[in-house]
Amino acid sequence: NDDLRELLAKDLSNQWVVYTASDGEEALAQLSHHSIDVVLSDIMMPHMDGFELLSRVRNDLQFSHIPFVFLTARSDDETELKSLMLTADDFIRKPFNPNLLAQKLKNVRQAQLRLQIQMGLLEKPTELTDTQARNQQTISPTDQKFIERLLNWLPEHYADVDLSVASMAHALAVEERTLQRKIKALYGQTPLDFIHDYRIREAVEKLNDRGLTIQEVAYQTGYRSGQYF
């Protein structure tokens, strides 16, 4: 509904940068052109309804990490169950309390930020803590497959001094922009920072366990210069 959408955009703009779309097709275009933290969607829309939009988001690696909240007049339990089975992060029934909506949007964003922190706190990205294993349940299957590819590939290539974001994206079969978005969303880092952290963790192990010199460790972990390392 045009009036409700514009009213919501006005209210939420006090806390968020808001982009609007009249249906799912327009929403996908907005997702392609902007870095989006959370999607708030109706279910009944022309051209592409909310269920299809959610499915498209969850199955597209560019967007699959984005929290997704339904705001709908369809208040039956069957619709809510279907929404959650499609991995919507929350389901809000109309009529709604604007303060409740604002808090729920804030909550799903904070949950995403907590996930970033926990992903980034791994001592080695190839090893999952118990907390991380539980968090895998909150990550979409599309993202889980991406993480698996990433963490299988990185240990074999981190020592390459010519490793770049471009070569990393090529190896993982994604566009550089998608790689930037995905690692930022999951780990709260740029790909270069993610690689650097991995190298440093490997370097610490080598220095502690193998009695190597700093120069030797630098070369073995992808640094051209011991001085820079």
Side-chain angles (χ1 to χ4, degrees):
N1 177 275
D2 293 342
D3 293 336
L4 177 58
R5 184 173 63 255
E6 294 308 314
L7 179 62
L8 280 171
K10 182 179 179 180
D11 287 345
L12 293 172
S13 63
N14 293 323
Q15 301 178 50
W16 303 79
V17 176
V18 180
Y19 301 98
T20 63
S22 61
D23 59 44
E25 290 181 353
E26 287 188 19
L28 287 176
Q30 293 283 28
L31 287 167
S32 297
H33 288 95
H34 303 286
S35 180
I36 302 297
D37 291 320
V38 57
V39 173
L40 176 64
S41 176
D42 206 336
I43 290 179
M44 295 179 287
M45 299 184 292
H47 307 301
M48 181 189 297
D49 68 15
F51 288 139
E52 184 178 352
L53 174 61
L54 174 56
S55 180
R56 295 277 291 273
V57 166
R58 286 292 177 259
N59 287 291
D60 190 324
L61 187 61
Q62 296 182 80
F63 316 129
S64 51
H65 57 275
I66 300 174
F68 197 109
V69 176
F70 276 127
L71 177 63
T72 178
R74 293 180 59 175
S75 58
D76 59 286
D77 291 342
E78 183 179 347
T79 299
E80 182 172 2
L81 178 60
K82 181 177 180 180
S83 301
L84 297 177
M85 289 178 66
L86 288 171
T87 67
D89 294 89
D90 210 335
F91 183 94
I92 302 170
R93 303 170 191 248
K94 299 176 186 176
F96 62 95
N97 181 315
N99 292 328
L100 176 64
L101 171 63
Q103 187 60 50
K104 288 200 170 195
L105 291 175
K106 183 179 179 180
N107 287 352
V108 295
R109 177 57 179 153
Q110 288 178 337
Q112 182 77 1
L113 293 174
R114 286 195 297 271
L115 180 61
Q116 286 182 1
I117 292 169
Q118 291 163 351
M119 295 290 282
L121 286 177
L122 292 174
E123 292 193 3
K124 286 180 64 178
T126 49
E127 297 174 356
L128 287 179
T129 64
D130 290 341
T131 300
Q132 268 298 308
R134 289 194 297 273
N135 281 339
Q136 289 284 37
Q137 299 174 8
T138 69
I139 300 173
S140 71
T142 303
D143 285 343
Q144 288 184 33
K145 290 177 183 177
F146 171 79
I147 291 168
E148 182 179 350
R149 295 204 316 271
L150 172 64
L151 301 185
N152 284 334
W153 176 85
L154 189 58
E156 302 297 325
H157 298 88
Y158 76 93
D160 181 358
V161 295
D162 295 317
L163 178 60
S164 66
V165 175
S167 62
M168 189 179 186
H170 178 75
L172 297 173
V174 298
E175 295 181 356
E176 284 188 53
R177 184 183 181 192
T178 299
L179 182 68
Q180 295 275 2
R181 282 185 173 185
K182 189 58 56 177
I183 292 183
K184 185 69 174 178
L186 294 172
Y187 292 94
Q189 296 179 302
T190 66
L192 285 177
D193 286 341
F194 183 77
I195 293 168
H196 177 70
D197 277 6
Y198 188 90
R199 285 172 166 170
I200 290 297
R201 289 169 179 151
E202 290 291 330
V204 169
E205 287 194 7
K206 292 178 185 293
L207 287 168
N208 285 336
D209 300 337
R210 303 187 187 181
L212 299 173
T213 68
I214 288 178
Q215 193 79 15
E216 289 170 330
V217 170
Y219 292 146
Q220 289 185 19
T221 52
Y223 294 95
R224 295 182 186 275
S225 162
Q227 183 178 7
Y228 174 73
F229 169 71

